[in-house]
Amino acid sequence: MRTPGKGRGTVRPIRLLGDPVLRTECDTVRSFDADLGRLIDDMFVSMHAAEGVGLAANQIGVSLRVFVYDCEDDKGRRHVGHVVNPVLVAEGGETLLADEGCLSVPGLHFPTPRADHAVVEGVDANGEPIRVEGTGYFARCLLHETYHLGGKVYIDFLTGDTRREALRTIRSADWSQVGQ
C-alpha cells in the first residue's frame, strides 16, 4: 500500500456542498498509473491542509472512486491509507449518535447516526486487493468517505429536527450555494 509522504502532492481546493460533483456517483478507477498516484498524493496533502481525517476524490472535484484517510479508531490506534474502488461489505454493530462534520460543509457539525463497525474492500494504487475494517470513529470515517463516492453527504443521514436545523444552518452559511 502506498504510504503518504509529507510534502508530496499539491493542495487542491475542497469543493463545497452545492457543487454538483458532490452529488454525482463517482466513476470506477480503471487506470492504475502515475496519475492515480499523484491524485492520491494530492488528496493526502489536501486533507491534511484542511485538517481532515478523510477525503473522497469528488471533494477535490475528481469524480473517481478513491478516498484517503488518516484517522484514529475507538482505541486510539491511528489508521492511514487509501482505498480505490471501495465497496462497503459490512456495516453493523451498535448505531452511535455523534457529532459529525465534513470538509465540504465547513465549520458545521451535527449529531449523525452511524454504525460502530464497517468493512470496506477495494484495491490499492497498484490494483492489489485490500480490506479495511474499522470500529468507532474510524468506522464513521470509512462510512462517510464511501458514501461520498456515491454522491451522498452526511446530512443525508440526518432526520427530523436535526435535519431541518442542519439545512437551515447550511442555507445561511456564508460559503453556501445551497438553495440559491
Side-chain angles (χ1 to χ4, degrees):
M1 183 186 290
R2 201 177 165 84
T3 303
K6 292 279 184 195
R8 257 194 340 219
T10 301
V11 175
R12 298 195 200 181
I14 304 293
R15 301 295 179 96
L16 301 178
L17 188 64
D19 188 318
V21 74
L22 295 173
R23 292 305 198 167
T24 305
E25 188 166 340
C26 294
D27 297 325
T28 300
V29 172
R30 299 194 189 291
S31 296
F32 296 85
D33 55 15
D35 288 341
L36 178 60
R38 279 190 293 279
L39 172 63
I40 292 168
D41 288 341
D42 289 357
M43 290 173 66
F44 269 109
V45 298
S46 299
M47 175 186 67
H48 287 134
E51 299 180 3
V53 297
L55 185 73
N58 56 347
Q59 290 184 273
I60 59 168
V62 178
S63 191
L64 289 174
R65 294 189 58 77
V66 181
F67 72 79
V68 299
Y69 56 88
D70 185 348
C71 184
E72 289 187 357
D73 63 20
D74 56 341
K75 295 190 173 33
R77 292 178 299 225
R78 182 178 178 206
H79 301 267
V80 180
H82 67 275
V83 183
V84 178
N85 299 331
V87 175
L88 181 62
V89 295
E91 175 180 5
E94 187 178 343
T95 298
L96 303 175
L97 188 65
D99 276 357
E100 190 165 323
C102 178
L103 296 176
S104 294
V105 186
L108 303 179
H109 296 83
F110 297 97
T112 306
R114 294 279 191 192
D116 72 347
H117 180 258
V119 180
V120 173
E121 292 180 349
V123 296
D124 66 14
N126 299 312
E128 296 297 321
I130 56 173
R131 178 181 171 99
V132 183
E133 186 168 351
T135 58
Y137 188 64
F138 185 43
R140 181 174 294 272
C141 176
L142 294 173
L143 293 167
H144 182 113
E145 302 310 331
T146 301
Y147 283 120
H148 255 307
L149 300 174
K152 300 227 180 254
V153 293
Y154 82 101
I155 60 167
D156 297 334
F157 297 91
L158 306 179
T159 60
D161 289 342
T162 304
R163 182 171 174 78
R164 283 188 287 282
E165 176 192 350
L167 293 174
R168 225 179 357 261
T169 304
I170 289 166
R171 277 192 298 274
S172 65
D174 61 359
W175 53 262
S176 181
Q177 301 168 11
V178 177
Q180 295 179 11

PDB file of all heavy atoms in Angstrom, residues 49-65:
ATOM      1  N   ALA A  49      -4.029  19.611   4.887  1.00  0.00           N
ATOM      2  CA  ALA A  49      -4.075  21.077   4.895  1.00  0.00           C
ATOM      3  C   ALA A  49      -5.403  21.579   5.441  1.00  0.00           C
ATOM      4  O   ALA A  49      -5.452  22.616   6.113  1.00  0.00           O
ATOM      5  CB  ALA A  49      -3.854  21.626   3.485  1.00  0.00           C
ATOM      6  N   ALA A  50      -6.482  20.828   5.188  1.00  0.00           N
ATOM      7  CA  ALA A  50      -7.811  21.226   5.670  1.00  0.00           C
ATOM      8  C   ALA A  50      -8.101  20.671   7.066  1.00  0.00           C
ATOM      9  O   ALA A  50      -9.187  20.879   7.603  1.00  0.00           O
ATOM     10  CB  ALA A  50      -8.874  20.741   4.689  1.00  0.00           C
ATOM     11  N   GLU A  51      -7.121  19.954   7.640  1.00  0.00           N
ATOM     12  CA  GLU A  51      -7.242  19.360   8.971  1.00  0.00           C
ATOM     13  C   GLU A  51      -8.376  18.351   9.054  1.00  0.00           C
ATOM     14  O   GLU A  51      -9.117  18.294  10.033  1.00  0.00           O
ATOM     15  CB  GLU A  51      -7.372  20.446  10.042  1.00  0.00           C
ATOM     16  CG  GLU A  51      -6.161  21.358  10.087  1.00  0.00           C
ATOM     17  CD  GLU A  51      -6.244  22.448  11.138  1.00  0.00           C
ATOM     18  OE1 GLU A  51      -7.231  22.496  11.913  1.00  0.00           O
ATOM     19  OE2 GLU A  51      -5.308  23.253  11.181  1.00  0.00           O
ATOM     20  N   GLY A  52      -8.494  17.533   7.995  1.00  0.00           N
ATOM     21  CA  GLY A  52      -9.498  16.491   7.974  1.00  0.00           C
ATOM     22  C   GLY A  52      -8.911  15.140   8.321  1.00  0.00           C
ATOM     23  O   GLY A  52      -7.695  14.988   8.452  1.00  0.00           O
ATOM     24  N   VAL A  53      -9.788  14.139   8.466  1.00  0.00           N
ATOM     25  CA  VAL A  53      -9.361  12.767   8.758  1.00  0.00           C
ATOM     26  C   VAL A  53      -9.685  11.826   7.610  1.00  0.00           C
ATOM     27  O   VAL A  53      -9.309  10.661   7.633  1.00  0.00           O
ATOM     28  CB  VAL A  53      -9.974  12.237  10.071  1.00  0.00           C
ATOM     29  CG1 VAL A  53      -9.494  13.075  11.249  1.00  0.00           C
ATOM     30  CG2 VAL A  53     -11.492  12.184  10.000  1.00  0.00           C
ATOM     31  N   GLY A  54     -10.394  12.330   6.607  1.00  0.00           N
ATOM     32  CA  GLY A  54     -10.729  11.550   5.433  1.00  0.00           C
ATOM     33  C   GLY A  54     -11.066  12.494   4.296  1.00  0.00           C
ATOM     34  O   GLY A  54     -11.455  13.641   4.527  1.00  0.00           O
ATOM     35  N   LEU A  55     -10.895  12.012   3.068  1.00  0.00           N
ATOM     36  CA  LEU A  55     -11.217  12.843   1.907  1.00  0.00           C
ATOM     37  C   LEU A  55     -11.536  11.933   0.727  1.00  0.00           C
ATOM     38  O   LEU A  55     -10.766  11.023   0.408  1.00  0.00           O
ATOM     39  CB  LEU A  55     -10.049  13.759   1.543  1.00  0.00           C
ATOM     40  CG  LEU A  55     -10.312  14.754   0.411  1.00  0.00           C
ATOM     41  CD1 LEU A  55     -11.226  15.881   0.894  1.00  0.00           C
ATOM     42  CD2 LEU A  55      -9.003  15.338  -0.086  1.00  0.00           C
ATOM     43  N   ALA A  56     -12.671  12.196   0.099  1.00  0.00           N
ATOM     44  CA  ALA A  56     -13.063  11.486  -1.118  1.00  0.00           C
ATOM     45  C   ALA A  56     -12.632  12.317  -2.321  1.00  0.00           C
ATOM     46  O   ALA A  56     -12.608  13.551  -2.260  1.00  0.00           O
ATOM     47  CB  ALA A  56     -14.577  11.274  -1.121  1.00  0.00           C
ATOM     48  N   ALA A  57     -12.311  11.639  -3.422  1.00  0.00           N
ATOM     49  CA  ALA A  57     -11.799  12.334  -4.615  1.00  0.00           C
ATOM     50  C   ALA A  57     -12.762  13.400  -5.127  1.00  0.00           C
ATOM     51  O   ALA A  57     -12.329  14.464  -5.573  1.00  0.00           O
ATOM     52  CB  ALA A  57     -11.490  11.329  -5.715  1.00  0.00           C
ATOM     53  N   ASN A  58     -14.068  13.151  -5.041  1.00  0.00           N
ATOM     54  CA  ASN A  58     -15.004  14.158  -5.544  1.00  0.00           C
ATOM     55  C   ASN A  58     -14.970  15.444  -4.713  1.00  0.00           C
ATOM     56  O   ASN A  58     -15.372  16.498  -5.194  1.00  0.00           O
ATOM     57  CB  ASN A  58     -16.417  13.610  -5.695  1.00  0.00           C
ATOM     58  CG  ASN A  58     -17.005  13.023  -4.446  1.00  0.00           C
ATOM     59  OD1 ASN A  58     -16.314  12.770  -3.461  1.00  0.00           O
ATOM     60  ND2 ASN A  58     -18.298  12.750  -4.488  1.00  0.00           N
ATOM     61  N   GLN A  59     -14.438  15.379  -3.516  1.00  0.00           N
ATOM     62  CA  GLN A  59     -14.326  16.591  -2.692  1.00  0.00           C
ATOM     63  C   GLN A  59     -13.259  17.543  -3.208  1.00  0.00           C
ATOM     64  O   GLN A  59     -13.221  18.695  -2.798  1.00  0.00           O
ATOM     65  CB  GLN A  59     -14.044  16.225  -1.233  1.00  0.00           C
ATOM     66  CG  GLN A  59     -15.234  15.588  -0.547  1.00  0.00           C
ATOM     67  CD  GLN A  59     -14.941  15.327   0.899  1.00  0.00           C
ATOM     68  OE1 GLN A  59     -14.393  14.278   1.250  1.00  0.00           O
ATOM     69  NE2 GLN A  59     -15.271  16.275   1.739  1.00  0.00           N
ATOM     70  N   ILE A  60     -12.410  17.051  -4.106  1.00  0.00           N
ATOM     71  CA  ILE A  60     -11.466  17.957  -4.782  1.00  0.00           C
ATOM     72  C   ILE A  60     -11.792  18.024  -6.274  1.00  0.00           C
ATOM     73  O   ILE A  60     -10.965  18.405  -7.087  1.00  0.00           O
ATOM     74  CB  ILE A  60      -9.984  17.589  -4.526  1.00  0.00           C
ATOM     75  CG1 ILE A  60      -9.657  16.185  -4.992  1.00  0.00           C
ATOM     76  CG2 ILE A  60      -9.623  17.810  -3.057  1.00  0.00           C
ATOM     77  CD1 ILE A  60      -8.166  15.869  -5.033  1.00  0.00           C
ATOM     78  N   GLY A  61     -13.022  17.632  -6.625  1.00  0.00           N
ATOM     79  CA  GLY A  61     -13.500  17.800  -7.984  1.00  0.00           C
ATOM     80  C   GLY A  61     -13.164  16.691  -8.954  1.00  0.00           C
ATOM     81  O   GLY A  61     -13.357  16.847 -10.160  1.00  0.00           O
ATOM     82  N   VAL A  62     -12.678  15.557  -8.448  1.00  0.00           N
ATOM     83  CA  VAL A  62     -12.319  14.428  -9.305  1.00  0.00           C
ATOM     84  C   VAL A  62     -13.345  13.321  -9.076  1.00  0.00           C
ATOM     85  O   VAL A  62     -13.427  12.761  -7.991  1.00  0.00           O
ATOM     86  CB  VAL A  62     -10.896  13.914  -8.999  1.00  0.00           C
ATOM     87  CG1 VAL A  62     -10.559  12.705  -9.865  1.00  0.00           C
ATOM     88  CG2 VAL A  62      -9.876  15.030  -9.189  1.00  0.00           C
ATOM     89  N   SER A  63     -14.102  13.007 -10.097  1.00  0.00           N
ATOM     90  CA  SER A  63     -15.200  12.050  -9.963  1.00  0.00           C
ATOM     91  C   SER A  63     -14.728  10.612 -10.171  1.00  0.00           C
ATOM     92  O   SER A  63     -15.168   9.912 -11.078  1.00  0.00           O
ATOM     93  CB  SER A  63     -16.313  12.403 -10.948  1.00  0.00           C
ATOM     94  OG  SER A  63     -17.464  11.649 -10.643  1.00  0.00           O
ATOM     95  N   LEU A  64     -13.798  10.182  -9.309  1.00  0.00           N
ATOM     96  CA  LEU A  64     -13.292   8.812  -9.321  1.00  0.00           C
ATOM     97  C   LEU A  64     -13.480   8.191  -7.953  1.00  0.00           C
ATOM     98  O   LEU A  64     -13.415   8.882  -6.927  1.00  0.00           O
ATOM     99  CB  LEU A  64     -11.808   8.778  -9.699  1.00  0.00           C
ATOM    100  CG  LEU A  64     -11.465   9.099 -11.140  1.00  0.00           C
ATOM    101  CD1 LEU A  64      -9.943   9.166 -11.318  1.00  0.00           C
ATOM    102  CD2 LEU A  64     -12.074   8.076 -12.099  1.00  0.00           C
ATOM    103  N   ARG A  65     -13.660   6.872  -7.914  1.00  0.00           N
ATOM    104  CA  ARG A  65     -13.902   6.157  -6.659  1.00  0.00           C
ATOM    105  C   ARG A  65     -12.583   5.915  -5.911  1.00  0.00           C
ATOM    106  O   ARG A  65     -11.999   4.836  -5.979  1.00  0.00           O
ATOM    107  CB  ARG A  65     -14.632   4.844  -6.933  1.00  0.00           C
ATOM    108  CG  ARG A  65     -16.046   5.079  -7.487  1.00  0.00           C
ATOM    109  CD  ARG A  65     -16.864   3.824  -7.560  1.00  0.00           C
ATOM    110  NE  ARG A  65     -17.015   3.170  -6.269  1.00  0.00           N
ATOM    111  CZ  ARG A  65     -17.837   3.569  -5.294  1.00  0.00           C
ATOM    112  NH1 ARG A  65     -18.580   4.628  -5.450  1.00  0.00           N
ATOM    113  NH2 ARG A  65     -17.889   2.899  -4.158  1.00  0.00           N
TER     114      ARG A  65
END
